[in-house]
Amino acid sequence: MFVPRRQNVHTLPLNCTEITRLIRPAALTLIALSLVACGSNIEDAKIALKESIVIKTDLSVDDLRSYPGGVVCGAFTAYISYHDPRKENAPFIYRDEKIDRDPQPRDWKVFCSEDPAASLAAIAGFGPITRESAEWLKIIADFASIESALEDYYEENHSYPQTEQGLAALKEKPESRMRMPNYREGGYLNPIPTDPWGRPYVYKSTQWGRTKGTVEMISLGRDGEPGGEGLDADVSSELQRYLVHIDRIL
């Protein structure tokens, strides 16, 4: 006798009404959790701002908004200290659990944006950066590893490699008038990363007297020439904090 096979109810197609009924609670839960997170970020920003100011009784905040990556942007009015003039409606940015009471215009445009990747692309001329953008993701990772090695180099040798010594100084002890007795055996980074198109990163070091100075790495893009747009655009490590922020929220 033929016995019809029992159909598994879990494999039956759902109609639109059933799908909506199943999805709606999950969507509402997600929205509720997002609102709670936004509110928490804003409260954390208020606390951090208050802790950064000496005269707390005069503090007022306005226009607080939460942005991707846990960033909060707003304005405050307060006396920063007993010696400084009162700041009126001064902008601030809260990110990575730190307050920046003097953000640069570029910081505001990128961090205080619903789409930081598009904002950075408009400013710097490259991108947009997406999770499928292998070139940008490699540059972000390379800058991070090079910067870490440079800090180790500085910590042990009390200066960064000079511009003419280049990043090769991270791999082998450079020729120098300084004896560099603390140079690490085996170097600080080997191999030295190249950009996504196989070319060395341009390296620049600036130092004034006994100051720590600054370093910069640059990829000249796909075309290997200064300037350009899209994949041909130059990418500087001075943009690394924006690149890392975007990488976190992709």
Side-chain angles (χ1 to χ4, degrees):
M1 181 177 67
F2 173 75
V3 178
R5 181 178 298 174
R6 184 178 180 181
Q7 195 167 17
N8 189 339
V9 295
H10 297 294
T11 63
L12 290 174
L14 299 175
N15 60 39
C16 292
T17 302
E18 291 171 324
I19 292 173
T20 302
R21 178 174 55 82
L22 292 173
I23 291 177
R24 185 176 295 164
L28 291 175
T29 300
L30 181 60
I31 292 172
L33 290 174
S34 298
L35 291 174
V36 169
C38 290
S40 175
N41 290 338
I42 288 176
E43 289 305 313
D44 290 344
K46 289 180 179 179
I47 293 171
L49 178 63
K50 188 173 183 179
E51 290 177 347
S52 73
I53 293 174
V54 175
I55 307 175
K56 307 180 190 303
T57 56
D58 189 54
L59 172 65
S60 64
V61 293
D62 298 291
D63 302 325
L64 289 180
R65 289 191 60 185
S66 183
Y67 293 92
V71 173
V72 175
C73 301
F76 73 95
T77 297
Y79 286 100
I80 302 299
S81 72
Y82 294 103
H83 308 290
D84 295 321
R86 179 184 174 92
K87 285 203 169 187
E88 297 281 352
N89 205 36
F92 76 90
I93 296 176
Y94 173 77
R95 68 181 186 91
D96 296 336
E97 301 182 354
K98 296 178 182 178
I99 282 287
D100 182 359
R101 297 199 313 258
D102 189 25
Q104 301 301 308
R106 190 164 60 184
D107 296 340
W108 193 268
K109 289 179 181 179
V110 176
F111 293 127
C112 306
S113 168
E114 295 293 348
D115 190 347
S119 298
L120 181 60
I123 294 170
F126 62 78
I129 301 171
T130 67
R131 180 49 62 187
E132 288 71 40
S133 305
E135 295 86 0
W136 309 125
L137 299 180
K138 181 182 187 316
I139 290 173
I140 293 170
D142 288 349
F143 282 170
S145 64
I146 293 171
E147 287 177 349
S148 177
L150 284 168
E151 290 306 313
D152 289 344
Y153 182 102
Y154 183 91
E155 184 70 21
E156 296 180 5
N157 300 286
H158 312 297
S159 69
Y160 290 119
Q162 298 174 6
T163 299
E164 56 271 20
Q165 293 171 335
L167 294 175
L170 297 176
K171 182 178 179 181
E172 296 180 355
K173 185 176 180 178
E175 294 184 4
S176 173
R177 291 177 298 176
M178 301 174 61
R179 296 178 59 187
M180 300 179 65
N182 297 325
Y183 188 90
R184 184 182 302 177
E185 183 177 354
Y188 298 86
L189 187 62
N190 188 10
I192 305 297
T194 56
D195 75 9
W197 300 277
R199 287 185 289 269
Y201 289 102
V202 176
Y203 171 75
K204 298 179 181 180
S205 172
T206 304
Q207 190 166 352
W208 305 274
R210 296 181 179 274
T211 63
K212 184 175 182 178
T214 61
V215 292
E216 181 184 11
M217 285 74 67
I218 303 171
S219 167
L220 295 178
R222 179 178 55 187
D223 62 359
E225 299 291 337
E229 296 181 354
L231 290 176
D232 294 333
D234 302 346
V235 184
S236 167
S237 60
E238 291 183 348
L239 302 175
Q240 178 72 346
R241 64 184 183 277
Y242 308 124
L243 297 172
V244 170
H245 176 67
I246 292 167
D247 183 42
R248 288 176 182 170
I249 62 179
L250 286 178

